[in-house]
Amino acid sequence: MSSKMPIRFLDAGLGTTLESPPHNAKFKADSSLWSSDFLITSPKTLSGVHRAFVEAGSDVLLTATYQASLEGFAATTRAETPQSASNDKQEQKSNTSQDGSATYDEEEAVVLMRTAVPLAKQAFSASQSTKSKSKQIALSLGAYGATMQPSTEYSGDYKPENMRTVDGLRDWHEKRLKVFRDDKATWNDVDLVSFETLPVLQEVQAVRRVMAKHNTTPHSRDWWISCVFPNDDLTLPDGSPVPAVVEAMLTDQGDTAPRPWGIGINCTDIKKLDKLLRQYETAAQSILDTDSALDASAKRGRWPWLVAYPDGAQGSVYNTESQKWEIDPQMKAKGPQRPWHEELAEIITKTAERGHWKGILIGGCCKTMPDDIRKLRSQLAAIESDAYYLESG
């Protein structure tokens, strides 16, 4: 293993990029699909955003499926598109909402969800910037709470009661994963699987059990778990501290719950990131570095990749009820914030210098856009460091 740590680049906030110029999307307040709604209404727009991230230097693209779920499509009023108008002439099996509106049945939802994978993959072939041989598609699977209306991945307030249990969450995540896993053509285009913005410890445990059952050879994929830390005391929304989170992610449980390829943090204030990463490392060391006979290189070989994609809200807070970003008065009083790409580059450089992780995959979450990835990549490329190298570009 090289003494230098490889760094790769993820994309950034798909939904908030869609909300910004030139797209200026207005997400429907009564829909739990958010950016996944564009799989119905404007796949071309999604494709353009994916391409923009590739042109900016992203090595890995997340699919537009973060909030997609069978339940979400079943609760979404059928869009008036040329395709739906054509289908109206044929017999439909669509569901009906409580107010009598036609919605999407499970068969239709499955088809729409699967279209997100080739849509992202096409962005690499359409781009003029795909110099690297290792461009990859990551299947984005958000927390159960991300599919609720209003979303609860930042609070962990899961309902009904069975969705607060490992078994209930395992069954739900298994059903959604199988939408993609059970179709050979779709799964062949998936390189990585991302379980993101998990707010409760039981969900971390649940997705490990799902992957134990379904991520089997010869069709296995590398996958990661990332959690969200909105609390000032650096705990999950359910109150779990970092050591408990990392233990749930990495404790060896054999075939019943394999270790993920990567672990990390997303959709979290960048001001918290450095402290969180140091806590992650301390907790991981107690699990992974127990063999004193191993040298530093051998120990690092046992570590997962770190996946870090903090938000770029710069003092704004997302209100899940109004679905709007609101300025935090306390942050506003502090004046201009340091540029996101500069702050993240410094954090990642220090993290690489500590030398623990097998590699680092970095990007952005809410309020970060293609230009932020471009600047981040340039910032890290300009730093003369013996601790890391940019794996592609």
Side-chain angles (χ1 to χ4, degrees), residues 226-298:
S226 62
C227 287
V228 60
F229 293 86
N231 296 335
D232 291 338
D233 62 357
L234 306 184
T235 59
L236 289 187
D238 72 354
S240 299
V242 168
V245 174
V246 174
E247 181 179 1
M249 290 173 166
L250 293 180
T251 297
D252 188 1
Q253 299 179 36
D255 294 338
T256 61
R259 282 175 177 160
W261 166 89
I263 65 172
I265 299 161
N266 77 293
C267 216
T268 296
D269 187 346
I270 195 170
K271 302 297 182 187
K272 302 174 183 176
L273 187 62
D274 185 60
K275 289 182 179 179
L276 283 166
L277 292 182
R278 291 174 187 272
Q279 289 190 28
Y280 260 60
E281 290 170 358
T282 299
Q285 279 182 297
S286 68
I287 298 169
L288 302 173
D289 290 354
T290 56
D291 189 344
S292 60
L294 297 178
D295 61 20
S297 179

Side-chain angles (χ1 to χ4, degrees), residues 316-337:
S316 297
V317 178
Y318 186 68
N319 185 321
T320 59
E321 295 286 343
S322 65
Q323 295 190 330
K324 294 180 180 179
W325 289 91
E326 301 172 351
I327 299 295
D328 182 338
Q330 292 183 339
M331 294 300 295
K332 185 177 181 180
K334 294 181 180 180
Q337 304 293 302

